[in-house]
Amino acid sequence: MMPGATAGSSPDESSTFLHWSSRGLITSRRLYEDEDQYVAEIEHYAEDSVTARTERITTTEPYAVACLGPHGAFFGRNDVDRNSSLSYHPIGSWDANGAWSAELPAGEAVECVAAGEDWVAALTSRAFLRLYSIGGVCDAVVSLPGQTVSAVAKDRWLAVAFHCSAAFGQYESQEVAVAVYGVQAGWR
């Protein structure tokens, strides 16, 4: 079956586009060829500006997925030695001290992220939809009926595509379903 992916991403060996949308783009690449340091570059198009603003985050482990929300960037990291995590990096002057990171339960990996107006959805390898507030509080955990394909968000809406049956037939056809959720602050 097709693995889960964040909408607007395109993996590559040397550099990865983790996110691309009308808000901007996020790329990830190895900082130096011979070192284990990575850089995530966030190119953000502010609503009141014609020019893009670029911010860089240096890390020792690569990000697996990312998305750009109205106030900042969300990153998912999958590490074989530690638990996977979801983190938030504010952009611009909105809240410079508002960065946070949340660890997922053991054995659960972030496959896809989608950001709404003041929340982020993390879809995981265990077919869970985890909703976090912009402050880093996990507001809800929803069990999906199948493995994640992708998800997109806009304002208070979240659309999740998931596998609703195993691959079948000569061409290994797949059946995918879409669920649309209305997300409100503090939704449980």
Side-chain angles (χ1 to χ4, degrees), residues 95-172:
D95 186 8
N97 297 320
W100 55 263
S101 183
E103 199 170 274
L104 272 62
E108 195 169 345
V110 182
E111 291 189 336
C112 177
V113 288
E117 60 186 303
D118 58 358
W119 51 269
V120 65
L123 292 94
T124 72
S125 58
R126 295 233 171 124
F128 286 123
L129 160 61
R130 295 181 176 276
L131 288 174
Y132 290 85
S133 70
I134 198 162
V137 176
C138 185
D139 285 332
V141 178
V142 177
S143 179
L144 296 173
Q147 285 301 121
T148 302
V149 173
S150 191
V152 293
K154 175 71 173 150
D155 299 328
R156 67 177 205 94
W157 297 101
L158 171 67
V160 178
F162 56 90
H163 292 283
C164 57
S165 70
F168 60 90
Q170 177 183 0
Y171 301 106
E172 293 192 16

Side-chain angles (χ1 to χ4, degrees), residues 7-169:
S9 66
S10 62
D12 184 301
E13 291 300 317
S14 60
S15 179
T16 303
F17 279 92
L18 297 176
H19 172 86
W20 179 86
S21 71
S22 60
R23 284 193 179 127
L25 59 97
I26 301 173
T27 59
S28 177
R29 63 179 168 80
R30 189 179 293 270
L31 191 56
Y32 302 107
E33 290 296 323
D34 57 344
E35 292 186 24
D36 285 336
Q37 282 197 325
Y38 298 85
V39 63
E41 294 178 331
I42 307 163
E43 193 169 309
H44 183 256
Y45 303 107
E47 290 181 26
D48 58 348
S49 175
V50 177
T51 60
R53 183 176 166 172
T54 303
E55 295 188 30
R56 290 175 179 83
I57 302 170
T58 305
T59 180
T60 56
E61 296 145 13
Y63 293 112
V65 294
C67 70
L68 199 51
H71 306 294
F74 296 92
F75 297 93
R77 177 178 285 143
N78 298 327
D79 191 337
V80 294
D81 299 327
R82 297 182 304 182
N83 289 358
S84 295
S85 64
L86 178 71
S87 59
Y88 172 69
H89 178 77
I91 291 180
S93 62
W94 184 76
D95 186 8
N97 297 320
W100 55 263
S101 183
E103 199 170 274
L104 272 62
E108 195 169 345
V110 182
E111 291 189 336
C112 177
V113 288
E117 60 186 303
D118 58 358
W119 51 269
V120 65
L123 292 94
T124 72
S125 58
R126 295 233 171 124
F128 286 123
L129 160 61
R130 295 181 176 276
L131 288 174
Y132 290 85
S133 70
I134 198 162
V137 176
C138 185
D139 285 332
V141 178
V142 177
S143 179
L144 296 173
Q147 285 301 121
T148 302
V149 173
S150 191
V152 293
K154 175 71 173 150
D155 299 328
R156 67 177 205 94
W157 297 101
L158 171 67
V160 178
F162 56 90
H163 292 283
C164 57
S165 70
F168 60 90

